[in-house]
Amino acid sequence: MVDDVLNILAMTGYEVYRQGSLAGNEEYPDSFFTFWEVGSPDHAHYDNRRYGTEWAYEVNFYSTDPDLTYSVLDEVIAAFERAGWTVPSRGNDVRSDEPTHTGRGVNIYFLEV
């Protein structure tokens, strides 16, 4: 599923990083995505067999342009929904390590059966 996440985020044209992978001395791009796998629990069990996996990811967008944190995240939410992902919110503010950047994030889910 991580390939699906990466492909959808890459279509935006912005750089994509695993959350926390930017080195401390590395300069932030003006705008970029991060992602993190939150979990992949079994969806249900029938007759002692797993039935599906629920993939859960956190996707964050950071930018020096606060307006982009809303508009780009809205665009990527729509892209994930078109690809069959469940996105149960319009997003939330996320902390940034850099005072020049603001961030917004969203959790996304996919049921693989």
Side-chain angles (χ1 to χ4, degrees):
M1 295 279 54
V2 71
D3 289 339
D4 198 27
V5 172
L6 290 171
N7 289 336
I8 291 169
L9 294 177
M11 288 188 312
T12 66
Y14 293 100
E15 294 182 52
V16 180
Y17 300 93
R18 187 173 294 274
Q19 184 72 31
S21 68
L22 280 169
N25 61 348
E26 204 171 345
E27 191 172 317
Y28 278 22
D30 285 343
S31 298
F32 63 98
F33 280 100
T34 65
F35 72 98
W36 187 257
E37 183 182 328
V38 177
S40 55
D42 294 346
H43 179 62
H45 288 265
Y46 298 103
D47 297 328
N48 296 321
R49 293 189 177 153
R50 177 182 47 174
Y51 173 76
T53 301
E54 180 187 285
W55 295 93
Y57 287 87
E58 179 182 314
V59 172
N60 300 313
F61 183 74
Y62 298 92
S63 182
T64 55
D65 180 345
D67 292 336
L68 282 181
T69 61
Y70 286 86
S71 62
V72 172
L73 192 65
D74 284 344
E75 290 170 16
V76 86
I77 286 170
F80 276 107
E81 290 175 336
R82 283 191 303 272
W85 289 74
T86 299
V87 186
S89 81
R90 301 315 319 158
N92 54 274
D93 290 338
V94 292
R95 216 177 279 267
S96 173
D97 293 338
E98 294 295 325
T100 55
H101 287 70
T102 57
R104 271 191 76 70
V106 68
N107 289 336
I108 60 171
Y109 303 91
F110 190 87
L111 179 58
E112 181 181 45
V113 291

